[in-house]
Amino acid sequence: MQLGSCFLDSLTVTSFFGNAEMRGIFNDRQLMQSWLDVEAALARGQAGLGLIPSAAAQAITDAARLDRLARTPCTRSCRWSGR
């Protein structure tokens, strides 16, 4: 078992902050995918207004999946920025 680095990862306090279903929603992976979802929605909205080409919006939407990103650079950047 790997120990978490945040007190919310602690097995002794996680039950204070919801159940397993809620922890499945509010986790780092879901948070980062939500950011990508917003970027994709923004691109589609911009394409709808004619600000960017529709093909670009589609490419952004297709690429905006967490499983397509290298997480090590993301993790390193988050650590550096404090987020």
Side-chain angles (χ1 to χ4, degrees), residues 10-81:
S10 167
L11 295 175
T12 59
V13 298
T14 54
S15 60
F16 299 157
F17 301 100
N19 57 27
E21 183 179 5
M22 294 305 290
R23 287 188 297 277
I25 295 169
F26 297 102
N27 62 48
D28 289 342
R29 186 166 183 77
Q30 284 298 113
L31 175 64
M32 292 193 308
Q33 184 58 58
S34 294
W35 291 339
L36 295 173
D37 293 343
V38 168
E39 293 293 336
L42 176 62
R44 291 189 303 273
Q46 289 175 327
L49 294 171
L51 299 173
I52 66 172
S54 293
Q58 187 60 54
I60 292 168
T61 297
D62 292 344
R65 292 194 336 251
L66 189 58
D67 59 338
R68 294 188 62 165
L69 297 179
R71 290 201 5 214
T72 301
C74 293
T75 304
R76 198 175 309 122
S77 295
C78 287
R79 242 184 264 129
W80 178 81
S81 71

